[in-house]
Amino acid sequence: MTSLDQVKAAVGPAAGSTPPAARGPAPTAPGGGGPPVSRRVRNRRGGRWWTPWLFLAPALILFLYFKFIPMASALTMSFQEVQPYLGNRWVGGENYATVLSSDGFREAAWHTVVLAVGQTAGSMLLGLTLALLMEGQGRRLGFVRSAAFLPVVVPIAVVAELWRIMYHPTEDGMLNSLLGIVGFGPSGFINDPDTSMASIMLTGIWRGAPYDMMIFLAGLAGVDRGLYEAAKVDGASRFQRIRHVTLPGLRAVLTILFVLAAIRGLRVFTEVFLLTNGGPDGSTEVVMTVIYKLGLEQNRLGVGAAGAVLLFLATLLLTVGVHLFRRRGNE
């Protein structure tokens, strides 16, 4: 204890200070009646717990009517033979057995997995590359980022039609013309069973990478700049800084993007439906197109609902599995 502390201990409380017990009760309302002001403020705040729910009510009602009630109806229909205007007949797990024993469904499930893996890996890799190239501040970078983000905001129907034109299988097609310049022959792209899946995958990567880029840019803003400077002083190369500083700092972002991109890949439908409709020869058939054809084209709504429930369960298991893997890695 220093001499100054000894003096303060000997003298006691400073002159003019009042012990906490002697300061008196909390201030009350004017006129002397009612509970203390601080208690009234707490009670007033606690009485408005319903205010956020009041603002959320319109969106929750829309979600309930257009999403959750149809989901419950689909779950019920998956155990029934749906007969419009005649009444549904309970069949138990027969619809699920029909879906799982179908060769077309198993092949479509494999195509869905391949497409989801390819699009997830490609969009995340390209998105990270674009984010590293466009990291920083500046007017020009803002314009470039906005231009790179355009594929996300363009309707998927427009994107599909654009790529259909570029994939024209003749020699004077846009992409075939570029291939001819470098000495490669014309390709059938979406019209060839050998290249149709890769063509759809390329379209999905082109559309999903800008979305991943923006999330990566937000994650890069939270990486400590001092770590880059320390690594640079230690002689680390650009690749080493990315490997040992950037990627560990983006671990949470990578997990979130992986889940989002994987769900996007498992639920792929519109681009496949508009570009190939599952063809040629079923080479691009995915789970969503099979469900669409079973439920709406063949009018087997119960079987289609069973396929939709199976796809939902697969997505749920993927999400929970990634979450548990991440939690175990953090322990």
Side-chain angles (χ1 to χ4, degrees), residues 12 20 27 33 38 40 50 73 85 102 171 198 201 203 218 222 253 272 276 290 310 315 320-321 325:
S38 59
R40 291 181 59 190
W50 45 265
S73 301
Y85 308 109
S102 172
E171 293 184 0
M201 191 181 300
T203 304
V253 176
V272 176
T276 63
V290 171
L310 290 175
T315 306
V320 174
F325 178 78

Side-chain angles (χ1 to χ4, degrees), residues 7-314:
V7 172
K8 290 182 178 180
V11 173
S17 63
T18 305
R23 293 177 184 173
T28 59
V37 176
S38 59
R39 188 182 304 172
R40 291 181 59 190
V41 172
R42 288 197 300 268
N43 293 337
R44 188 182 304 168
R45 290 177 179 175
R48 294 181 179 177
W49 61 268
W50 45 265
T51 303
W53 294 102
L54 184 62
F55 284 98
L56 290 173
L60 292 177
I61 293 174
L62 291 176
F63 268 95
L64 177 66
Y65 187 77
F66 291 102
K67 186 173 184 178
F68 297 117
I69 292 179
M71 287 175 62
S73 301
L75 180 61
T76 304
M77 289 168 53
S78 66
F79 296 99
Q80 297 175 340
E81 179 184 355
V82 181
Q83 300 174 341
Y85 308 109
L86 298 177
N88 299 339
R89 183 172 64 89
W90 183 268
V91 295
E94 183 178 336
N95 291 332
Y96 291 93
T98 302
V99 171
L100 294 175
S101 62
S102 172
D103 294 335
F105 184 83
R106 290 197 295 267
E107 187 176 358
W110 171 247
H111 292 163
T112 303
V113 172
V114 172
L115 195 59
V117 171
Q119 286 189 357
T120 300
S123 61
M124 290 183 65
L125 181 60
L126 182 57
L128 178 59
T129 303
L130 292 174
L132 292 174
L133 292 175
M134 300 182 189
E135 184 184 9
Q137 297 180 353
R139 296 181 180 178
R140 295 182 179 180
L141 285 178
F143 174 77
V144 174
R145 290 172 189 167
S146 301
F149 193 72
L150 284 178
V152 180
V153 299
V154 175
I156 185 60
V158 177
V159 172
E161 188 62 28
L162 173 65
W163 281 87
R164 179 192 294 276
I165 296 173
M166 293 193 298
Y167 282 147
H168 199 274
T170 59
E171 293 184 0
D172 56 350
M174 178 178 177
L175 294 182
N176 277 328
S177 300
L178 297 177
L179 291 177
I181 295 176
V182 296
F184 292 96
S187 174
F189 294 112
I190 57 176
N191 298 286
D192 188 349
D194 297 329
T195 59
S196 56
M197 181 63 71
S199 301
I200 293 179
M201 191 181 300
L202 179 62
T203 304
I205 292 173
W206 179 81
R207 190 170 189 269
Y211 178 81
D212 296 349
M213 176 197 70
M214 298 303 294
I215 298 183
F216 275 128
L217 285 172
L220 288 172
V223 179
D224 188 2
R225 301 290 102 179
L227 297 177
Y228 287 110
E229 297 297 332
K232 191 174 182 179
V233 171
D234 291 339
S237 62
R238 174 72 173 177
F239 176 77
Q240 290 175 332
R241 292 197 297 270
I242 293 175
R243 179 183 177 185
H244 298 288
V245 178
T246 304
L247 293 181
L250 294 176
R251 186 175 301 172
V253 176
L254 287 170
T255 303
I256 295 173
L257 275 181
F258 175 79
V259 174
L260 294 177
I263 293 175
R264 187 171 64 232
L266 290 176
R267 297 173 58 186
V268 61
F269 170 73
T270 309
E271 50 264 51
V272 176
F273 179 76
L274 294 176
L275 287 174
T276 63
N277 195 20
D281 299 331
S283 59
T284 59
E285 200 78 74
V286 293
V287 172
M288 288 295 294
T289 58
V290 171
I291 294 173
Y292 172 81
K293 292 176 181 178
L294 288 174
L296 298 180
E297 292 185 358
Q298 300 180 18
N299 201 27
R300 302 170 66 184
L301 298 178
V303 179
V309 172
L310 290 175
L311 181 61
F312 169 76
L313 292 177

